[in-house]
Amino acid sequence: MAENNDMSKQKQLDKFKVDHNHTKLTTAQGLRVSHTDDSLKAGERGPTLMEDFHFREKLTHFDNERIPERVVHARGFGAHGYFQCYEPMTEFTKAKFLQNPSVKTPVFVRFSTVVGSKGSADTVRDVRGFATKFYTEEGNYDLVANNMPIFFIHDGIKFPDVVHAIKPEQHNEIPQASAAHDTFWDFMSNTPELTHMIMWLMSDRAIPRSYRMMEGFGVNTFRFVNSQGKARFVKFHWKPKLGVHSLVWDEAQKIAGKDPDFNRRDLWDAINKGDFPEFELGVQMIEEHQEFDFDFDILDATKFWPEEQVPVQIIGKMVLNKNVDNHFAETEQVAFHPGNVVPGIDFTNDPLLQGRLFSYIDTQLMRLGGPNFHEIPINRPVANVNTNMREGMHRMTIDKGRTSYSPNSLQNNSPQPAAEGEGGYVHYMEKVDGHKIRQRSESFKDFYSQATMFWNSMSPPERQHIVDAFHYELGNVLDISIRQRVVDLFNNVDGELAKEIAKGIGVNPPAQMGGTGVTASSPAISQANTVKSPATRKVAILADNGCNYPEVKQVVDQLKQAGVHCEIISKYQGVITAACGRQIQVNRNYHTASSVLFDAVYVPGGRASVDTLLGHGDALHFVNEAFKHAKAVAASNEAVDLFDQSEILGVRLAPLDSRAQVTFDMGVVTVRNAADLGYFGEEFLAAIAEHRHWIRLAQKDMVPA
Ligand code: HEM
């Protein structure tokens, strides 16, 4: 078996890397090029000559530079890292990378959106992909996950239908990266198995604040198998150390214009700053004899296993600590496949999983141009590879010897199959017996119970966001009969929900209040119960000439200590001069900054600075918008005047005559007449950690921003 540690994949990749710095330009044949700015012509104003090999080569390569984008998950962003298990998992699986806590297995992760094309915006309402390739000593293991624990459909054969319905419409290719159009809701309203997934898609999960703040779910049911051949059903989870946090829809739409690369930039910057994202790997396991103990079918991918019923056991962690050197070579050419498993991990009869096992390699043959894409550096295992597969487009390996078949006697019957004890993969011996039928199992046909459970589990603001999302999505559906069908369908989930949806989209509420009668909830799926931390959050500091330097310094130092990143925003880039004469570097002006690109806003005091901001619509808009999006906002001393003049209404601010008492109301932190901002900084940090202050429900809706 190949030796493996966190650097082994990087060492392998290094062999393929070329640094062009301090080199001479050559052709692809290695011939030095003397001139690359003009083609070879017959006379200064004459025609270009055929014999200009440099012109031909340069243009031909350029003309063929594009490869097909992925049929789904086209837009993605990748990073390298490592995985380490916490305890040997010997009792449950023989997978080698889950045995030894001192081994760091290299990984490559690609996060993605599903529907949009490669150049679409990051912050659209969509499922996010979360695919991980573990380069283990036993070969590559791919955990091809999403950020929602369930899926749209039961059976792989419906995948082309759901994707055709949600992608831009056939006749005009509109809209891009959005479900908010007739064909999707037409399909949806005729396919009730989508109901539960739509609840997740309308929820805040579909607009993550960061790839670093999303969960990942293997969705399908797999098997763990130990060395005695004992199997258990297993579902995989990634839990982000920073908790699960989302944007709000108005913000997500604005970011799509201000910075369409918002999520990829966030990941890239975090890794460059040393804020390495961490995710813990968790597993839910069900004993084989418990297969039928649940009120859902454990092979149905439209159902999750509530954590309260089947606890998630945390078994290891992944750290992403290196950005790619070349997006195309690594992130675009990486090829994941749920069928890439190692001994100790096996499949189940989950019909969605069975469909996936066919699709990935099939699509990659076209996308990556032939059958040798496993040789592309990012896809190469660190384990040794010895096959009898030969030839095909772009074969890299030079296979020595005469034979490429098995058995052979000319080459010692090599490469030889390995016995199970030597690491040979042996499929789990499941007994299968049945008639050949095209039929859906009756046990898959409860479309609504878990959708109700999801609704029951949401906090009031989460529920409001779901209703708002329905209003947006269905408000964009032109055919009113489709809107009505959707309302009638969701009446099966919850009558109140259906009524609320109907209200916003001009259709009739259900004639009779429906619902499943399910009262159970799963607190684990509400983002209200997630981890909260200010670490790695971004704060905008609005200041101008005459600001109070000691205030800025004290607050910035305190935030930095908690791992928060600050940027100074002013009218002009360059420097501003504080009241004391100190110069402060400005990071962005109001053209390049926007409140939607930050988690919180702080305005320091200083009479002249605050007076300038008061006359500046952009500064006021910045504060209003952050407030509207329920973010932490803080002002010290004279800067509280700015909040007084803003749309921050119905919130207590530090009174004019107050003496350094910090006022904290609904995530708005203010103080007046204070020299020391230590306690103010602490309260601001607590407000940032909260992520959003939904308690402002009525107040924020008043803001016209
Ligand atoms: C039968 C259902 C499904 C089919 C047929 C299917 C098919 C595909 C195909 C053809 C691709 C493009 C692969 C490529 O070009 O390299 C893809 C990508 C992907 N799929 Fe699925 N998929 C299905 C369900 C799922 C589910 C349930 C999940 C989540 C658990 C998922 C997660 C992903 C991810 C994360 C990617 C992007 C991988 C990357 O970053 O390159 N898919 N899928």
Side-chain angles (χ1 to χ4, degrees):
M1 298 244 170
E3 191 213 346
N4 208 356
N5 57 51
D6 57 331
M7 290 315 293
S8 39
K9 183 64 190 174
Q10 288 307 322
K11 273 195 206 147
Q12 187 198 54
L13 287 175
D14 283 346
K15 293 187 201 140
F16 297 92
K17 289 181 188 164
V18 179
D19 184 352
H20 300 293
N21 206 5
H22 304 300
T23 59
K24 297 283 183 200
L25 185 69
T26 72
T27 66
Q29 306 303 318
L31 176 72
R32 284 192 171 185
V33 172
S34 61
H35 188 124
T36 192
D37 297 333
D38 296 287
S39 56
L40 189 69
K41 296 187 207 69
E44 248 173 45
R45 304 180 63 247
T48 299
L49 299 178
M50 268 290 275
E51 71 176 72
D52 186 352
F53 52 80
H54 175 49
F55 167 88
R56 288 199 322 268
E57 181 191 73
K58 186 170 171 181
L59 271 282
T60 300
H61 196 279
F62 167 76
D63 294 342
N64 292 281
E65 242 164 47
R66 294 286 168 275
I67 65 169
E69 64 174 33
R70 287 167 176 78
V71 63
V72 282
H73 296 262
R75 181 169 178 79
F77 201 66
H80 295 273
Y82 65 85
F83 171 81
Q84 224 173 346
C85 67
Y86 288 148
E87 301 280 339
M89 291 295 289
T90 326
E91 184 184 347
F92 308 107
T93 173
K94 58 185 171 186
K96 283 250 161 51
F97 78 105
L98 294 176
Q99 305 305 328
N100 185 348
S102 69
V103 171
K104 289 182 175 173
T105 301
V107 297
F108 184 72
V109 174
R110 182 175 179 271
F111 299 105
S112 51
T113 53
V114 178
V115 178
S117 52
K118 192 169 172 289
S120 56
D122 277 350
T123 57
V124 295
R125 176 175 296 283
D126 199 355
V127 182
R128 299 297 184 284
F130 185 156
T132 307
K133 195 178 277 296
F134 297 76
Y135 301 94
T136 87
E137 62 181 280
E138 297 178 292
N140 289 352
Y141 166 56
D142 291 354
L143 176 49
V144 194
N146 278 347
N147 77 329
M148 298 178 192
I150 58 158
F151 204 62
F152 294 93
I153 46 169
H154 291 143
D155 188 319
I157 200 165
K158 294 297 296 168
F159 194 65
D161 297 299
V162 68
V163 174
H164 284 177
I166 203 168
K167 282 268 188 182
E169 300 201 359
Q170 279 294 298
H171 59 315
N172 59 8
E173 228 211 3
I174 298 175
Q176 180 54 245
S178 170
H181 57 108
D182 286 42
T183 59
F184 179 66
W185 291 95
D186 177 34
F187 174 75
M188 193 278 131
S189 59
N190 287 304
T191 320
E193 71 196 77
L194 266 70
T195 308
H196 184 196
M197 183 65 169
I198 295 305
M199 296 295 293
W200 288 81
L201 189 64
M202 295 301 106
S203 81
D204 293 345
R205 299 262 176 171
I207 39 174
R209 155 66 181 83
S210 161
Y211 291 139
R212 303 175 291 126
M213 300 171 197
M214 323 186 295
E215 281 178 296
F217 302 91
V219 176
N220 296 115
T221 302
F222 288 84
R223 274 193 171 89
F224 260 170
V225 187
N226 69 15
S227 55
Q228 284 84 51
K230 179 172 166 49
R232 289 174 179 87
F233 295 105
V234 63
K235 275 202 195 282
F236 294 103
H237 295 245
W238 287 117
K239 302 253 180 207
K241 280 278 188 73
L242 293 171
V244 184
H245 301 282
S246 293
L247 301 169
V248 296
W249 182 230
D250 177 60
E251 182 189 20
Q253 287 177 295
K254 288 173 175 165
I255 296 174
K258 299 266 181 195
D259 184 7
D261 303 308
F262 182 74
N263 287 140
R264 58 169 60 179
R265 192 188 304 286
D266 170 90
L267 185 66
W268 175 263
D269 287 349
I271 292 176
N272 280 347
K273 283 179 188 146
D275 288 338
F276 299 143
E278 290 190 17
F279 299 86
E280 288 191 305
L281 183 66
V283 288
Q284 286 178 297
M285 285 184 279
I286 291 180
E287 298 289 340
E288 295 225 306
H289 68 264
Q290 295 175 319
E291 181 172 359
F292 301 106
D293 284 2
F294 299 86
D295 55 6
F296 50 85
D297 192 321
I298 66 163
L299 300 186
D300 173 355
T302 69
K303 307 290 188 301
F304 66 104
W305 301 352
E307 287 188 33
E308 295 76 11
Q309 284 179 52
V310 188
V312 176
Q313 189 182 333
I314 299 298
I315 66 169
K317 77 163 180 187
M318 173 167 77
V319 179
L320 300 181
N321 57 7
K322 187 184 177 311
N323 278 315
V324 297
D325 287 297
N326 185 290
H327 178 86
F328 178 83
E330 297 167 76
T331 310
E332 196 59 21
Q333 294 200 109
V334 70
F336 295 95
H337 172 36
N340 288 344
V341 287
V342 289
I345 300 178
D346 211 314
F347 313 113
T348 64
N349 299 330
D350 168 347
L352 189 80
L353 174 59
Q354 298 283 324
R356 297 181 75 194
L357 294 178
F358 168 76
S359 243
Y360 288 72
I361 289 190
D362 182 47
T363 195
Q364 285 149 3
L365 285 171
M366 221 268 283
R367 182 167 76 78
L368 297 168
N372 284 318
F373 57 85
H374 59 279
E375 295 191 331
I376 296 173
I378 192 70
N379 293 324
R380 286 181 182 229
V382 291
N384 297 329
V385 174
N386 296 290
T387 76
N388 280 324
M389 297 186 293
R390 294 290 185 274
E391 308 185 13
M393 300 286 255
H394 320 302
R395 183 73 179 175
M396 303 285 158
T397 312
I398 302 173
D399 301 288
K400 297 209 289 191
R402 289 164 74 185
T403 66
S404 56
Y405 51 86
S406 178
N408 70 65
S409 44
L410 290 176
Q411 200 174 275
N412 309 313
N413 198 26
S414 292
Q416 285 179 14
E420 190 175 355
E422 298 170 305
Y425 189 91
V426 177
H427 288 265
Y428 178 64
M429 249 195 286
E430 183 185 4
K431 186 167 183 321
V432 181
D433 183 15
H435 296 283
K436 250 191 240 174
I437 43 167
R438 281 193 189 276
Q439 204 171 297
R440 197 71 58 89
S441 168
E442 284 302 314
S443 59
F444 281 34
K445 289 188 181 161
D446 170 8
F447 307 130
Y448 308 120
S449 296
Q450 280 206 347
T452 307
M453 186 192 223
F454 180 82
W455 180 244
N456 293 345
S457 311
M458 295 292 102
S459 62
E462 287 174 308
R463 283 186 172 198
Q464 187 57 49
H465 298 163
I466 291 171
V467 171
D468 291 347
F470 272 110
H471 289 173
Y472 175 87
E473 295 278 317
L474 294 169
N476 279 302
V477 169
L478 303 180
D479 186 324
I480 200 153
S481 67
I482 297 177
R483 290 190 223 161
Q484 186 68 60
R485 270 209 311 273
V486 175
V487 167
D488 295 343
L489 191 125
F490 278 87
N491 192 37
N492 295 312
V493 176
D494 187 278
E496 267 308 315
L497 168 65
K499 209 171 91 186
E500 283 300 308
I501 301 173
K503 199 156 75 179
I505 55 169
V507 299
N508 297 323
Q512 278 197 327
M513 291 292 268
T516 57
V518 170
T519 54
S521 65
S522 170
I525 59 179
S526 167
Q527 291 179 229
N529 303 323
T530 194
V531 175
K532 289 175 181 159
S533 153
T536 79
R537 294 309 185 116
K538 281 178 72 178
V539 174
I541 299 180
L542 310 189
D544 216 302
N545 290 321
C547 66
N548 184 317
Y549 177 80
E551 285 180 40
V552 176
K553 176 150 180 23
Q554 188 179 4
V555 172
V556 168
D557 286 350
Q558 200 171 349
L559 296 184
K560 260 192 194 159
Q561 279 224 321
V564 173
H565 302 289
C566 299
E567 287 190 14
I568 306 280
I569 318 295
S570 198
K571 183 162 182 176
Y572 301 116
Q573 253 161 316
V575 286
I576 51 174
T577 307
C580 62
R582 292 284 288 253
Q583 295 214 309
I584 302 176
Q585 191 70 41
V586 174
N587 301 100
R588 296 181 192 226
N589 59 35
Y590 292 108
H591 295 287
T592 61
S594 163
S595 86
V596 294
L597 306 176
F598 293 87
D599 295 293
V601 182
Y602 165 56
V603 191
R607 191 71 267 159
S609 167
V610 172
D611 284 347
T612 307
L613 297 185
L614 275 167
H616 206 318
D618 283 337
L620 274 162
H621 177 69
F622 210 110
V623 171
N624 289 338
E625 197 178 44
F627 179 75
K628 187 179 177 67
H629 294 150
K631 295 174 181 174
V633 291
S636 49
N637 297 323
E638 296 87 347
V640 184
D641 294 356
L642 187 77
F643 284 15
D644 267 330
Q645 297 301 310
S646 72
E647 301 283 344
I648 301 181
L649 304 173
V651 175
R652 266 185 307 114
L653 301 177
L656 254 183
D657 54 358
S658 60
R659 300 254 124 242
Q661 292 109 341
V662 176
T663 306
F664 185 114
D665 192 21
M666 302 188 200
V668 179
V669 188
T670 49
V671 70
R672 282 190 190 267
N673 308 313
D676 176 20
L677 297 185
Y679 183 58
F680 168 83
E682 270 174 42
E683 292 286 283
F684 186 34
L685 272 172
I688 298 169
E690 204 46 42
H691 180 61
R692 297 299 158 109
H693 297 268
W694 303 123
I695 189 170
R696 271 178 219 165
L697 205 57
Q699 290 80 355
K700 74 180 178 47
D701 287 351
M702 294 293 291
V703 181

